[in-house]
C-alpha cells in the first residue's frame, strides 16, 4: 500500500468514527459544546477558558480532536475570544458565508467534523491580517511536550 493509500485509509477510518446523528453528538459533547459546535452558538465574550491562555501547544477541535491552531499564532485581540492569525494548516478549517443576524461574516468550521468554531475577520495582525475569532468551548488545548 502506498503512502497516499495509507493516508486515505486513515482518513476514512477517522471519518467513520465520527458521530452521525444528533443523539450521538449529544453523547460525545457537553451541552455547551453541542450548542456551539453543532448549533452554531457563541459563548459570551471573556467567558472562555482559552481567552487569556498563553500555554504553548496545539488547539484541537473539541468535537473530533483534529489539530486546528498553534499557540504560536495566538494573540491577544481584546475581543473576549481566543484569536489566531492563521490555522495550523489551511486545510484544517473550512470557511462559509454567514449572513445570519443581519450581517455578513465568514464562518470557520472544522474541516473534519464540520463543527462551528467561530468567525474570521480581516482586522488581524501581520503576517496574514486575519483574526480567527474562536469559541473557547470549541477548542481543547494539547499542551506542548516538555523538553527531555
Amino acid at each position: 500500500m502506498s503512502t497516499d493509500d495509507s493516508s486515505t485509509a486513515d482518513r476514512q477510518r477517522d471519518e467513520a468514527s465520527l458521530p452521525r446523528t444528533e443523539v450521538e453528538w449529544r453523547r460525545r459533547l457537553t451541552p455547551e459544546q453541542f450548542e456551539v459546535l453543532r448549533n452554531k452558538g457563541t459563548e459570551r465574550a471573556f467567558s472562555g477558558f482559552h481567552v487569556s491562555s498563553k500555554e504553548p501547544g496545539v488547539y484541537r477541535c473539541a468535537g473530533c480532536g483534529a489539530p486546528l491552531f498553534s499557540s504560536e499564532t495566538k494573540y491577544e485581540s481584546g475581543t473576549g475570544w481566543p484569536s489566531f492569525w492563521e490555522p495550523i494548516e489551511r486545510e484544517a478549517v473550512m470557511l462559509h458565508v454567514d449572513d445570519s443576524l443581519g450581517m455578513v461574516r465568514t464562518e470557520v468550521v472544522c474541516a473534519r467534523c464540520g463543527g462551528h468554531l467561530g468567525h474570521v475577520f480581516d482586522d488581524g495582525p501581520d503576517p496574514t491580517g486575519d483574526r480567527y475569532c474562536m469559541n473557547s468551548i470549541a477548542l481543547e488545548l494539547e499542551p506542548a511536550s516538555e523538553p527531555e
Side-chain angles (χ1 to χ4, degrees):
M1 185 183 294
S2 74
T3 304
D4 287 343
D5 291 342
S6 176
S7 62
T8 298
D10 289 344
R11 207 171 22 255
Q12 289 171 339
R13 191 171 37 258
D14 286 347
E15 289 171 6
S17 70
L18 291 176
R20 300 214 184 274
T21 67
E22 182 175 320
V23 170
E24 290 172 343
W25 277 113
R26 284 188 186 277
R27 278 191 211 125
R28 177 179 281 202
L29 303 171
T30 67
E32 295 82 9
Q33 288 172 324
F34 186 87
E35 178 57 28
V36 170
L37 287 162
R38 306 316 302 171
N39 288 335
K40 302 182 183 210
T42 301
E43 65 193 3
R44 285 181 303 113
F46 300 101
S47 68
F49 180 75
H50 300 301
V51 174
S52 301
S53 174
K54 299 197 183 338
E55 188 173 351
V58 172
Y59 288 87
R60 294 180 170 274
C61 176
C64 71
L68 301 172
F69 297 95
S70 168
S71 61
E72 294 177 10
T73 65
K74 188 173 187 286
Y75 71 99
E76 181 54 53
S77 67
T79 62
W81 291 277
S83 296
F84 304 85
W85 46 265
E86 75 178 349
I88 203 161
E89 292 181 354
R90 177 63 202 106
E91 297 79 23
V93 298
M94 294 188 316
L95 307 179
H96 302 288
V97 173
D98 174 2
D99 59 3
S100 64
L101 304 176
M103 61 183 107
V104 177
R105 302 175 291 173
T106 303
E107 178 189 19
V108 181
V109 301
C110 173
R112 181 166 179 248
C113 71
H116 172 77
L117 303 169
H119 293 87
V120 63
F121 303 94
D122 63 3
D123 60 358
D126 289 334
T128 65
D130 290 332
R131 173 173 51 97
Y132 285 81
C133 189
M134 304 293 97
N135 288 286
S136 280
I137 198 105
L139 304 173
E140 293 178 344
L141 177 62
E142 178 184 311
S145 301
E146 293 290 323
E148 295 180 23

